[in-house]
Every structure is written in C-alpha cells, then in structure tokens.
Amino acid sequence: MARAIWILLLLGIGIAVAMWLAELGGTVEIKVGEAWIGTSFPIALLILCVTFLVLHGILSLIGAIRRWPGRLRNRRAWRHRQDGDAALTRALVALSAGTAEAARLEVRKARKLLGDTPQTLLLAAEAERLSGHDEAAAAVFRQLAEREDARFIGLRGLLRQAMARGDWDVALALAKEAEQVQPGAAWLREERAQLALQTHNWREALSLAPADAPRAPLALAAAGQEPDAARAAELERQAFQADPGFAPAAIAHARRLRAEGSPRRARSVLEDAWAASPHPDLAEPYLADDPDPLTRVKSVEMLIRRNPTASESRLLLARVALTAGLTGRARGALEAVVKSGTTDRRAYLMLAELEEAEHGETAEARAAQARWLREAATARPEPRWRCGHCAAEQRAWAPVCTACDTAGRVIWTAEPVAEQAAPAPGAKALSGPLQAVTG
C-alpha cells in the first residue's frame, strides 16, 4: 500500500512538472554562423534527454563488446575450476578406496584443468606412491619442496620415503630441513624420535620421547654413549629414578655409586629395585662383597626383606641357602614357591638338586629327582632377555638386538614369541621407545 502511494505521488509530481514546463513557454536558440536553430524549451529539454540516453547506450554497448573476451575467459576458467574440483574429489575417493590407477587418471585431469597447485601435486604424489611408482612420487614431492607455500609438505613426503627405504642419512638431513621450515611440528617430532631410535642416537631419542614413554631404557642407553663420566652418571641416576624396577638401570647406577666410594648407597639402590620388581640380575652385584656362603644368606634376607613372598625372592633365598648347606631353609622356600603356582622350571631343578644334597646317591633320592625333573620338563621356562622382534636370546639387556639389530625390543620374558611379520624399515613398529619388561 505504501509503495502504491509513493508511485502515485511521483507520477503526480512528474505530471505537475511537465505541465509547468508546458506553461512556462520560452524558446531555445542555437546560432552558428548564418545557421540558426530555434525550438521551444520543453522540446529542447526532451531532445537533450533523448540524446543523453542514446549516447549512454552506445557507450554501454562499446564497453560490453570490450569486456566480452574477458567474460569468455572467466567463464572458461570457471568451467575448468568446476571440472578440476570434481576431478580432485574423484581422485580423493579413488585414493580412499585404494584404486591407484583411477586416482592417477583423475589427478592427471585435475592437473591439466587446475595446473600444478599444492593440492594437485600432493594428490599426484600420493597416487604415484600408492601405485608403487616411488621415483615418480619423489619427483612430485621435490616439486612441492621447491615451492615456498608447500615446502614442508614436499619435505614430509620425501622424509617418509627415505625412512621407508631405510636411508637414514638422507632422512636425518630432510628432518633438519623440515624443522627449519616448520619448527616444533608435532608430526616431525615423532618422526625425529623414530629416526633417533633407528640411528641409535639415544640422547636425542630421550629428549624427543613423549611424556608417557618409558624413559628409563632411553636414559640408560644414552648413558652408555656419553663420553663424560659425570653426565653418564647423571643419566644413570635419571634412568633409575624414572623406573626403579628396571633392573639394568639400578645395576648401572649402583655400580657407579660403588665406583665413587658409596657402597651403602649402592646396596640401597639395589634393595629399592628389588622391592619395586625382583630380578635375578640384582643379586650378583648385591652379594659381590660376601664370599662366605652363610653371610650371603643373611645378605639375601636383607635384600628381599621388603618383598619376601615374590617368586624371585624365594628362588634366590633357596639358591643361596642350598649353596650354604641349609637344606631345610632351601626346601621351605622352594615348596612355598611351588605351592604359590607362580614358579618356573628353576624351582623344580633346584628341588632335584636338593634331593641329592639331602639324601645322596640313594634310590629314594633318584626317585624324587626323577619326579622333579618330570615336573621341570613341563613347567614354564625361566625368563630371559629376549628380542621381542626375532625372539633371539640376549646375554644381557641392550638397547638393540644383537641378532636382528632392532631397536627397543629386548625384553625380560619367559616366552620367546617373535612377531608374526617383520615391519618394514622405518615403519612405526616401535610403539614405545625401548620397550622393556623389568622382571
């Protein structure tokens, strides 16, 4: 309603102006030389308006003709953009579905329509990699690395390829270059941690390890590489504090304290480690100063006093008691560990040895020995340091398996079970830095 009133008002004003001009009268004269043109003022005003509209139309037409090629180019570019985006989408779907050849075909279309943008280059590299054309993928990643806006993406792809083929020197150089481009990137930190493990750079692996990673094995491995004695001692202390139940760290720390003239502190470290997680390797350094068999029994009682019912505690007490000739003490410890159901074949073998010590070469002793040996044959095997990757037995804990050179898989276990399939070089088979079962 309001719009209709405004229209009527404007029409009325226009009619009033037209009538006023008609009544106004007057003439407009144009004289050029001898030529003279004259007309009324309303007609002259009308001619002026018509002339303005005609000139405006001509100029608009000229502008439209001049803009026509640009419009055609923009329309063609828009169509290419639409078709290119559609090809990119189809390439992403093909990559997700694992159809490498279809992805390569769609990426080729996208690059033709959109050019070599970071998006098309990245998809091209992934399509080549998925189809097994590593050299072609590397060439595309190098193209990305040469662009300022996609340098990190290219370096990341090249780094992944170098790690996959086990080229650690190239991988280290690429990691340093990527760190300069994108300092502090979380993904790069993880890859550098993997590189540190693969190249056995334990100090860097320790510095890059996440907060929830087992730090004791890393610190102990780093101490073994440290040329400075004071720094090595500090790393061994850190390893023990990170996990008192990790026997190799406790042994190394205690050995260092003993060498520095602190035997009491060394024994205290070993006692703390045994209380946290009894391990047979802790007994030898603890009993090193006790050559007398009876004294060794008392020392073992001191060592196991905070964890006396553990299987390792009873087995250790039985061993030193048997050596000292305390057969009754040894039998009590062995029968207790057998009754607990947590023992392995060591208890049965010691029981067989105990029968001979108690009864000598008698028929009763031989019968009892045969019974314990049968039990030992079917009992759980004793734990050993073994590689969790290839199941090779190790003489002692080490950060790297001596058989397969796999980092971080030497564990204390009774079951020599190897992995079903070996991981590819550089793959993230190391779920945690230097995994370790501490007994």
Side-chain angles (χ1 to χ4, degrees):
M1 187 65 181
R3 181 178 297 179
I5 293 174
W6 277 106
I7 292 174
L8 290 175
L9 182 61
L10 291 175
L11 287 174
I13 293 173
I15 292 171
V17 171
M19 293 178 64
W20 177 74
L21 290 174
E23 293 176 358
L24 184 63
T27 59
V28 176
E29 297 180 356
I30 301 174
K31 185 176 181 181
V32 181
E34 297 298 328
W36 176 88
I37 301 173
T39 184
S40 63
F41 176 71
I43 297 301
L45 186 61
L46 179 62
I47 292 172
L48 181 62
C49 292
V50 171
T51 303
F52 172 78
L53 292 174
V54 171
L55 289 174
H56 182 270
I58 292 172
L59 292 175
S60 297
L61 180 61
I62 293 173
I65 292 173
R66 293 182 62 185
R67 290 191 297 271
W68 184 253
R71 289 181 177 179
L72 289 178
R73 286 193 300 271
N74 291 338
R75 184 173 296 177
R76 189 181 305 111
W78 180 82
R79 286 200 304 269
H80 285 179
R81 181 70 185 179
Q82 292 293 103
D83 295 341
D85 288 343
L88 278 179
T89 302
R90 291 192 296 270
L92 283 171
V93 173
L95 286 174
S96 300
T99 53
E101 292 304 321
R104 292 180 68 201
L105 178 62
E106 296 300 335
V107 169
R108 196 176 298 118
K109 292 179 183 177
R111 293 179 70 179
K112 183 178 180 181
L113 293 169
L114 300 177
D116 285 342
T117 66
Q119 294 83 359
T120 57
L121 287 174
L122 178 58
L123 288 180
E126 291 300 321
E128 296 291 353
R129 188 179 65 83
L130 184 63
S131 60
H133 301 148
D134 291 335
E135 288 299 325
V140 181
F141 280 131
R142 282 191 287 269
Q143 281 186 264
L144 282 167
E146 292 170 358
R147 298 175 60 109
E148 289 298 326
D149 58 347
R151 185 169 178 77
F152 182 76
I153 299 175
L155 291 173
R156 174 173 177 166
L158 293 172
L159 175 58
R160 287 170 56 192
Q161 285 189 311
M163 293 183 67
R165 64 176 180 268
D167 195 345
W168 308 120
D169 292 335
V170 172
L172 283 172
L174 290 169
K176 291 179 180 178
E177 193 173 355
E179 181 69 24
Q180 294 175 357
V181 176
Q182 196 76 19
W187 170 85
L188 185 58
R189 184 182 179 89
E190 295 177 1
E191 297 303 309
R192 288 178 59 202
Q194 291 294 321
L195 278 173
L197 291 176
Q198 295 292 348
T199 57
H200 306 166
N201 188 345
W202 309 122
R203 188 167 184 176
E204 183 172 357
L206 178 63
S207 65
L208 295 173
D212 57 346
R215 304 182 67 84
L218 288 174
L220 183 59
Q225 289 182 333
E226 183 58 53
D228 182 67
R231 179 58 183 162
E234 174 61 22
L235 287 169
E236 289 169 353
R237 186 185 65 82
Q238 290 180 16
F240 173 70
Q241 290 181 342
D243 184 5
F246 183 49
I251 294 170
H253 186 40
R255 185 184 299 116
R256 183 79 60 173
L257 290 173
R258 182 179 295 274
E260 293 174 353
S262 301
R264 287 188 177 181
R265 291 178 58 193
R267 290 173 68 90
S268 178
V269 165
L270 295 173
E271 290 171 3
D272 291 342
W274 193 279
S277 181
H279 194 286
D281 291 350
L282 297 169
E284 182 179 352
Y286 191 84
L287 301 175
D289 296 335
D290 298 321
D292 181 68
L294 291 176
T295 305
R296 291 169 72 90
V297 174
K298 292 184 179 297
S299 295
V300 166
E301 291 174 347
M302 181 65 66
L303 175 64
I304 69 173
R305 72 186 188 279
R306 289 154 60 187
N307 202 347
T309 59
S311 295
E312 290 295 339
S313 298
R314 287 169 169 162
L315 287 172
L316 178 61
L317 180 60
R319 169 51 60 193
V320 295
L322 184 58
T323 303
L326 304 178
T327 56
R329 189 74 179 277
R331 184 174 292 277
L334 290 173
E335 288 179 351
V337 74
V338 169
K339 186 178 180 181
S340 68
T342 60
T343 188
D344 51 54
R345 65 165 63 107
R346 289 175 296 172
Y348 299 110
L349 292 176
M350 271 195 284
L351 280 167
E353 185 179 349
L354 178 62
E355 297 295 344
E356 182 179 358
E358 282 187 331
H359 305 291
E361 291 293 333
T362 62
E364 180 184 359
R366 286 194 294 271
Q369 281 182 317
R371 179 166 63 89
W372 294 127
L373 290 175
R374 285 194 299 270
E375 293 287 346
T378 58
R380 182 166 58 94
E382 64 271 23
R384 290 282 188 273
W385 290 111
R386 291 185 174 90
C387 176
H389 177 62
C390 68
E393 187 173 322
Q394 311 292 307
R395 295 182 60 185
W397 178 85
V400 180
C401 175
T402 57
C404 65
D405 201 38
T406 301
R409 301 310 303 270
V410 177
I411 58 176
W412 181 254
T413 179
E415 300 296 333
V417 179
E419 295 174 348
Q420 294 299 320
K428 300 214 176 161
L430 304 176
S431 59
L434 295 178
Q435 300 172 352
V437 177
T438 57

